[in-house]
Amino acid sequence: MNVLVLNCGSSSAKFAVIDSASGAERISGIAQRLDSPHATLDWKLDGHRHSRDIHHADHDVALRAVVELLRGVGLADDLAGVGHRVVHGGARFSGSMPITEEVVAKIEECIPLGPLHNPPNLRGIQISQELFPKLPQVAVFDTAFHQSMPPRAYLYAVPYEWFENHEVRRYGFHGTSHRYVSEQAVRLLGLPPNDHRLVTAHLGNGCSLAAVHDGKSVDTTMGLTPLDGVVMGTRSGSIDPSIIAHMKKALHRGADHVMDQLNKRSGLLGISGLSNDMRTLQEAAANGHERAALAIEKFCYSVAKAAAGMVVSLGRLDALVFTGGIGENATLVRAKVVELLGFLGITLDPELNVIHGKGYNGRITQATGPQVIVVPTNEELMIAMDTAEIIAAERRAA
Ligand code: ADP
């Protein structure tokens, strides 16, 4: 069945129509720079890219333009439902949910945990309900996959009342991606569905790792927010929390400024002083830019350390899975990370590392020992599949 997948961010709305059975993408696109004079609607259809100005469009105008576009290409009347990416489901959701008033209220309750993401996610849901009043709508949460973590993984060692009264705990993100690539890796490597232990590394602009034990997340690196964990494009990852108080005093600035620096001016960008983009850094490092090289080295070290940490929660490693823009494409990063993890008995096959994905099942190690595999993520497909499954279950129950 054809599902419209919506991912509404603060200034953008990504969309795709996906056939949940075949995985075929009928159309995909993004309305971006919303609420600005430069707002555009860009889309890809039948392999061709298109774009049009939607000056000053807000989410409402943009989503109406998307529906108009879908009508124009004959896809609007063929939709079975709408699947929404929702970033923070707190501890309230451990799986995807058909959207009801109660579900909306719970997503609203999670706004203090995801103040930047949940409001635009909710706005997308509201507009979509107005535009498609007859279609079932489903919420798919970034946090849900990690709800299977045990307390030793999700608790921070802070006063217990912070957890009880203020919901301070590790939630983890990128759950849809970790779930998708772990399922694909199990299939591609022929691992038993009920007996496997994987570390999944989603390395994009945001980066997180997860430990997946028999299909369930048992630990992950991101925390209460996506700032925790490994070094990212512009985020610091885990740091000594005292740095925040120290820099407030040193800069004579408030916590908001320091947090902004940790979210937007740190990570690869912070160390290199050049860019958050791995391609740019690799090029610069090759041309002798020392801090670009240092940023890449720190990044790989941080990912390898976290991967080794994830193995503690698994007790055994069957496979390490790379995904995300860096994980899927940066041959050099994969090689460095795997080299640092050599003590686990992993040996990279340098040729496979280079040719992976080109008519190949993604494995980049020799067939013995723990495997390393590259699996392109597809969060939209996972959202479409969850949505289709929920719609089918509701139809059966009706
Ligand atoms: P997002 O988290 O925004 O979805 P992506 O998953 O697209 O981001 O990842 C973006 C990162 O992937 C950037 O750092 C980019 O440089 C990196 N990347 C993409 N292609 C390559 C490549 N061929 N080689 C190295 N890095 C790449």
Coordinates of all heavy atoms in Angstrom, one line a residue, residues 14 174 202-207 233 268 276-282 323-331 333 377 379, ligand 1:
K14 N 10.0 17.2 5.3 CA 10.4 16.2 4.3 C 9.2 15.3 4.0 O 8.4 15.0 4.9 CB 11.5 15.3 4.8 CG 12.9 16.0 4.8 CD 13.9 14.9 5.1 CE 15.2 15.6 5.6 NZ 16.1 14.7 6.3
H174 N 17.5 8.0 16.8 CA 17.8 7.3 15.5 C 17.3 5.9 15.6 O 17.7 5.0 14.9 CB 19.3 7.2 15.3 CG 20.0 8.4 15.0 ND1 21.3 8.7 15.4 CD2 19.7 9.5 14.2 CE1 21.7 9.9 15.0 NE2 20.7 10.4 14.2
H202 N 25.1 4.6 13.5 CA 24.5 5.5 12.6 C 25.4 6.8 12.6 O 25.4 7.5 13.6 CB 23.1 5.8 13.0 CG 22.4 6.8 12.2 ND1 21.4 6.5 11.3 CD2 22.6 8.1 12.0 CE1 21.0 7.6 10.6 NE2 21.8 8.6 11.0
L203 N 26.1 7.0 11.6 CA 27.1 8.1 11.5 C 26.7 9.1 10.4 O 27.0 8.8 9.2 CB 28.5 7.6 11.3 CG 29.0 6.5 12.3 CD1 30.4 6.1 11.9 CD2 28.9 6.9 13.7
G204 N 25.9 10.1 10.7 CA 25.5 11.1 9.8 C 26.0 12.5 10.3 O 27.1 12.6 10.8
N205 N 25.1 13.5 10.2 CA 25.5 14.7 10.9 C 25.3 14.5 12.4 O 26.1 14.9 13.2 CB 24.6 15.9 10.4 CG 25.1 16.5 9.2 OD1 26.3 16.8 9.1 ND2 24.3 16.7 8.2
G206 N 24.2 13.9 12.8 CA 24.0 13.4 14.1 C 24.6 11.9 14.1 O 24.5 11.2 13.1
C207 N 25.2 11.5 15.2 CA 25.8 10.2 15.2 C 25.4 9.4 16.5 O 25.4 10.0 17.6 CB 27.3 10.2 15.2 SG 28.0 11.1 13.8
G233 N 28.8 16.0 13.9 CA 29.1 17.1 13.0 C 29.4 18.4 13.7 O 30.5 19.0 13.6
L268 N 33.0 17.8 14.9 CA 34.0 17.9 13.9 C 34.3 19.4 13.5 O 35.4 19.8 13.3 CB 33.4 17.2 12.6 CG 33.3 15.7 12.7 CD1 32.6 15.2 11.4 CD2 34.7 15.0 12.8
N276 N 31.7 20.9 9.4 CA 31.1 19.8 10.0 C 31.0 18.6 9.0 O 30.5 17.6 9.3 CB 29.8 20.1 10.5 CG 28.8 20.5 9.4 OD1 29.2 21.3 8.6 ND2 27.6 20.0 9.4
D277 N 31.4 18.9 7.8 CA 31.2 17.9 6.7 C 32.4 17.0 6.5 O 33.5 17.5 6.2 CB 30.9 18.7 5.4 CG 30.4 17.8 4.3 OD1 31.1 16.9 3.8 OD2 29.2 18.0 4.0
M278 N 32.2 15.7 6.6 CA 33.3 14.8 6.6 C 34.0 14.8 5.2 O 35.2 14.7 5.2 CB 32.8 13.3 6.8 CG 33.8 12.3 7.0 SD 35.1 12.6 8.2 CE 34.3 12.1 9.7
R279 N 33.3 15.1 4.1 CA 33.9 15.1 2.8 C 35.0 16.3 2.8 O 36.1 16.1 2.3 CB 32.9 15.3 1.7 CG 32.3 14.0 1.3 CD 31.1 14.3 0.4 NE 30.0 15.0 1.2 CZ 28.8 15.1 0.9 NH1 28.3 14.5 -0.2 NH2 27.9 15.7 1.7
T280 N 34.5 17.4 3.2 CA 35.4 18.6 3.3 C 36.6 18.3 4.1 O 37.7 18.7 3.8 CB 34.6 19.8 3.8 OG1 33.4 19.9 3.2 CG2 35.4 21.1 3.7
L281 N 36.4 17.7 5.3 CA 37.5 17.4 6.2 C 38.5 16.5 5.6 O 39.7 16.6 5.8 CB 37.0 16.9 7.5 CG 36.1 17.9 8.3 CD1 35.6 17.3 9.6 CD2 36.9 19.2 8.6
Q282 N 38.0 15.4 4.9 CA 38.9 14.4 4.3 C 39.8 15.1 3.3 O 41.0 14.9 3.2 CB 38.1 13.3 3.7 CG 37.5 12.4 4.8 CD 36.8 11.2 4.2 OE1 36.5 11.1 3.0 NE2 36.6 10.2 5.0
T323 N 26.1 2.7 9.1 CA 25.1 3.4 8.3 C 25.2 4.9 8.4 O 26.0 5.4 9.2 CB 23.7 2.8 8.6 OG1 22.8 3.2 7.6 CG2 23.1 3.4 9.9
G324 N 24.3 5.6 7.7 CA 24.3 7.1 7.8 C 25.3 7.6 6.7 O 26.1 6.8 6.2
G325 N 25.3 8.9 6.4 CA 26.1 9.5 5.3 C 27.6 9.1 5.5 O 28.2 8.7 4.5
I326 N 28.1 9.2 6.7 CA 29.5 8.9 6.9 C 29.7 7.3 6.9 O 30.6 6.8 6.2 CB 30.0 9.5 8.3 CG1 30.0 11.0 8.2 CG2 31.4 9.0 8.6 CD1 30.3 11.7 9.5
G327 N 28.9 6.7 7.7 CA 29.0 5.2 7.8 C 28.9 4.5 6.4 O 29.5 3.5 6.2
E328 N 28.0 5.0 5.6 CA 27.8 4.4 4.3 C 28.9 4.7 3.2 O 29.1 4.0 2.3 CB 26.4 4.8 3.7 CG 25.3 4.2 4.5 CD 23.9 4.9 4.2 OE1 23.8 5.3 3.0 OE2 23.1 5.0 5.0
N329 N 29.5 5.9 3.4 CA 30.4 6.4 2.3 C 31.8 6.6 2.7 O 32.7 6.6 1.8 CB 29.8 7.8 1.8 CG 28.4 7.6 1.3 OD1 28.3 6.9 0.3 ND2 27.5 8.3 1.9
A330 N 32.1 6.9 4.0 CA 33.5 7.3 4.3 C 34.4 6.0 4.6 O 34.5 5.6 5.7 CB 33.5 8.2 5.5
T331 N 34.9 5.5 3.5 CA 35.8 4.3 3.5 C 36.9 4.5 4.6 O 37.1 3.5 5.4 CB 36.5 4.2 2.2 OG1 35.5 4.4 1.2 CG2 37.1 2.8 2.0
V333 N 37.0 6.4 7.3 CA 36.5 6.4 8.7 C 36.2 4.9 9.1 O 36.6 4.5 10.2 CB 35.2 7.2 8.8 CG1 34.5 7.0 10.2 CG2 35.5 8.7 8.6
T377 N 20.8 3.1 5.4 CA 19.6 3.2 6.2 C 18.4 3.7 5.3 O 18.6 4.2 4.2 CB 19.8 4.2 7.4 OG1 18.7 4.0 8.3 CG2 19.8 5.7 6.9
E379 N 15.0 5.2 6.8 CA 14.0 5.4 7.9 C 12.6 5.6 7.3 O 11.6 5.2 7.9 CB 14.5 6.7 8.7 CG 15.7 6.4 9.5 CD 16.4 7.7 9.9 OE1 17.3 8.2 9.2 OE2 16.1 8.1 11.0
Ligands
ADP1 P1 21.9 13.6 8.3 O1 22.3 13.2 9.6 O2 21.7 15.1 8.2 O3 20.9 12.8 7.6 P2 23.7 12.3 6.5 O4 23.4 10.9 7.0 O5 23.4 12.6 5.1 O6 23.3 13.4 7.5 O7 25.3 12.4 6.7 C1 26.0 13.5 6.4 C2 27.5 13.3 6.5 O8 27.9 12.2 5.6 C3 28.4 14.5 6.2 O9 29.4 14.6 7.2 C4 29.0 14.1 4.9 O10 30.2 14.7 4.6 C5 29.1 12.6 5.0 N1 29.3 12.0 3.7 C6 28.4 11.9 2.7 N2 29.0 11.3 1.6 C7 30.3 11.1 1.9 C8 31.4 10.5 1.2 N3 31.3 10.1 0.0 N4 32.5 10.4 1.9 C9 32.7 10.9 3.1 N5 31.7 11.4 3.9 C10 30.5 11.5 3.3

